Amino acid sequence: MKDVRDYDLTANNTFGIKARCRRFIEFDTVDGLRNVSALLTDADRPLLVLGGGSNLLLTKDYAGTVLHSAIHGISVDETADGGWVEVRAGSGETWDEFVELCVSNGWYGAENLSLIPGDVGASAVQNIGAYGVEAKDIIHKVEAVDVSTGNVVTFAAEECGYGYRQSRFKNEWKGRYVITYVTYRLSKTFVPRLDYGNIRAELERRDIVVPTAEQVRRVIIDMRQAKLPDYTKEGNAGSFFMNPVVTREKYEEIVAEYGAGCVPHYATDNGHEKIPAGWLIEKCGWKGRSLGRAGVHSRQALVLVNRGGATGNDILALCEAVRSDVKARFGIEMNPEVNIV
């Protein structure tokens, strides 16, 4: 276990923001986390559970304790159901390495979530999603420790309150439960999900008619790398904003201005329409622009970047400027996907 006072968090957030925390504790076992919970006092709070730091914007030094999982290990139960497999992964496992392992072993369902940065634990907090798939689609159960009592608890996916980039771990359970393991229910039969984004078109461009899971994963990785910046070279947290869901009337209002077929959208279950935040930002003229040392990525307007030496408040100022312009132009409220601390 690592326990450090006045810890530098610069390397623990993909924006590369310089910030410190009063105390940093890294644990690698469930018992280690339980011991930590027993030792924490009011002086150690508030608590921040930090994974890979890929969905975080630090705007100041953190006055409390950061908890970081280094719990590793992957086990599999192939007897759960004839056509399914349950894969249990430690919360400290790297998400994309987990996806790669699943695809290579013929456990399907996670391939569309390839190359999303962060750890396994974060997938269950944030309900990560991409290309028509969300973590909630494959999560079976979540194990955690209640840091107020040290008790080990297990939640079925249905208890976690999953929604679009939301969960109870992110909201009312924040700071109370620390995830230790996540079990995913994956199929032994590959059923590709190709209708979101440009997956199908890219497969056709490569003359792939009936793709394997490996080919779908490769296409998604290539598409993400083509449009998203490498955080080791240009600090960022991936998609900064959630794609807003609007009424059908609001969508048709925008179509009336831009023309049928010119407004990207995805129908939701409740009859509303999801419009890509990146499209809205680009239409407001922000793509590629900077505000001081913070900028909007030149290839994907959904991504805010650290041009070099930006503070968390620099990024936040850009976020608010973009939100304000989208609100003024379209009458649509955009909300950050990134956790702002």
Side-chain angles (χ1 to χ4, degrees), residues 4 17 93 111 126 135 147 159 197 199 209 220-221 232 258 264 267 269-270 278-279 291 329 337 339:
V4 182
I17 300 297
E93 291 284 347
E111 51 279 347
Q126 186 70 10
V147 291
E159 299 177 88
I199 302 175
V209 178
I220 288 173
I221 288 174
T232 64
Y258 287 93
D269 293 337
N270 60 0
W279 185 86
L291 187 64
R329 177 70 184 80
E337 177 179 327
N339 297 309

Side-chain angles (χ1 to χ4, degrees), residues 37 119 134 201 223 247 337:
S37 67
D119 295 343
E134 293 181 309
M223 290 194 300
T247 64
E337 177 179 327

Side-chain angles (χ1 to χ4, degrees), residues 269-283:
D269 293 337
N270 60 0
H272 288 33
E273 298 288 341
K274 183 186 294 184
I275 299 178
W279 185 86
L280 297 170
I281 296 168
E282 184 173 352
K283 291 303 176 184

Side-chain angles (χ1 to χ4, degrees), residues 57 73 79 84 120 132 149 188 234 243 251 270 293 319 330:
L57 175 62
T79 64
W84 300 84
V120 160
T149 64
K188 294 181 181 179
E234 193 171 34
N243 294 320
Y251 165 72
N270 60 0
R293 294 169 291 182
C319 161
F330 294 100

Side-chain angles (χ1 to χ4, degrees), residues 36-58:
V36 167
S37 67
L39 295 174
L40 292 173
T41 67
D42 289 343
D44 294 310
R45 288 173 166 78
L47 304 178
L48 174 65
V49 181
L50 180 62
S54 60
N55 199 54
L56 175 70
L57 175 62
L58 294 166

